[in-house]
Amino acid sequence: TGAALSQLLPCLPDLTSLDLLHHFDFDNAQLQLCLPGLAGIVSLDLRGTAVTDTGVGSLASLRRLRRLL
């Protein structure tokens, strides 16, 4: 879940790629919980999630993000 992931991300400061492909229950609210821990993310795969255009818009704060699927 997003809550569990948001707790795990601070323990992974060197994480640059995250694949959430087909995690259908991952939505905008869960993405918001995870955003603080995604600062170093370069590649993010949200295909098959419930994240909408609104959620994707919140990714603008991720300055290192180069690849979004």
Side-chain angles (χ1 to χ4, degrees), residues 1 8 16-17 23-25 27 29 33 35-37 41-44 57 64 67-69:
T1 67
L8 181 61
T16 59
S17 180
H23 282 80
F24 305 110
D25 59 340
D27 60 15
L33 287 174
L35 273 179
I41 287 293
V42 175
S43 177
L44 182 61
R64 297 189 65 201
R67 183 172 183 245
L68 177 62
L69 299 170

Side-chain angles (χ1 to χ4, degrees), residues 47-67:
R47 293 176 295 169
T49 67
V51 174
T52 66
D53 289 345
T54 300
V56 170
S58 69
L59 299 175
S61 65
L62 301 179
R63 297 181 184 268
R64 297 189 65 201
L65 185 63
R66 298 292 179 257
R67 183 172 183 245

